[in-house]
Amino acid sequence: MRIEEEVAAKVYRMRELHEDFSRGCYQEMNDNYSNHFTGKLYMPAIGEVRTFTGEEIKEGNKEAASYYKGKKIMFIYSGLQIVPQSDKQAAVSYHITHKSDGKLVNTLSLEVWEKEKDGEWRMIRWYEEKGIGRPI
């Protein structure tokens, strides 16, 4: 399988796992983050960029699963671009439309995935620009 296909499968699985927050599930998602993960997220509600370690993003996913449990949520991914950087690393970008709580949020995501020693692709870096939620 080509790098683009392998990484695309991981990205689309992450979309499904985000929707699993509605069932309170998060552990499989957390398994997709490298132990040396670093991430940044622009939060329009507070007007700043927050930085996350691997431990912090995993704890945030646990909190999100608790918050969204029992709620109807939807994530639509579009415009997926995968740029192999080597045989073990790829940069990924895509647009996310997130629907929940009667709001629509548009986001742009940039990720770097790396094939680790165990042969699994995991996210090592991430930057996301969220828009302000607007009523559906």
Side-chain angles (χ1 to χ4, degrees):
M1 188 180 300
R2 295 181 22 225
I3 290 172
E4 293 90 343
E5 294 166 336
E6 291 178 20
V7 174
K10 295 297 272 189
V11 169
Y12 285 117
R13 180 65 183 144
M14 289 290 275
R15 186 202 60 77
E16 294 170 354
L17 294 171
H18 273 95
E19 290 181 353
D20 277 353
F21 282 164
S22 67
R23 297 185 307 122
C25 300
Y26 63 91
Q27 189 55 53
E28 183 182 345
M29 176 181 289
N30 282 354
D31 293 342
N32 287 295
Y33 293 96
S34 175
N35 288 335
H36 55 275
F37 170 87
T38 58
K40 294 187 179 284
L41 171 64
Y42 173 69
M43 303 286 292
I46 58 175
E48 65 183 44
V49 176
R50 295 193 51 205
T51 301
F52 295 88
T53 65
E55 288 180 20
E56 291 168 331
I57 198 73
K58 291 175 183 181
E59 182 60 29
N61 288 336
K62 180 179 178 182
E63 292 170 7
S66 177
Y67 174 81
Y68 286 114
K69 187 173 183 177
K71 296 181 179 182
K72 185 176 179 181
I73 59 175
M74 180 190 305
F75 291 84
I76 301 166
Y77 285 18
S78 60
L80 178 63
Q81 296 288 314
I82 299 172
V83 179
Q85 297 173 304
S86 73
D87 60 341
K88 294 182 180 178
Q89 188 167 299
V92 177
S93 67
Y94 53 94
H95 175 257
I96 304 167
T97 302
H98 172 225
K99 297 178 182 180
S100 74
D101 297 332
K103 291 184 182 174
L104 179 82
V105 177
N106 288 304
T107 302
L108 185 63
S109 186
L110 174 63
E111 304 166 350
V112 178
W113 288 76
E114 183 175 85
K115 192 171 205 174
E116 295 190 329
K117 290 181 183 181
D118 64 359
E120 290 295 319
W121 285 95
R122 292 192 179 84
M123 194 184 312
I124 60 169
R125 287 186 296 280
W126 164 72
Y127 181 79
E128 195 166 279
E129 279 283 329
K130 283 191 179 291
I132 294 177
R134 51 192 168 116
I136 297 177

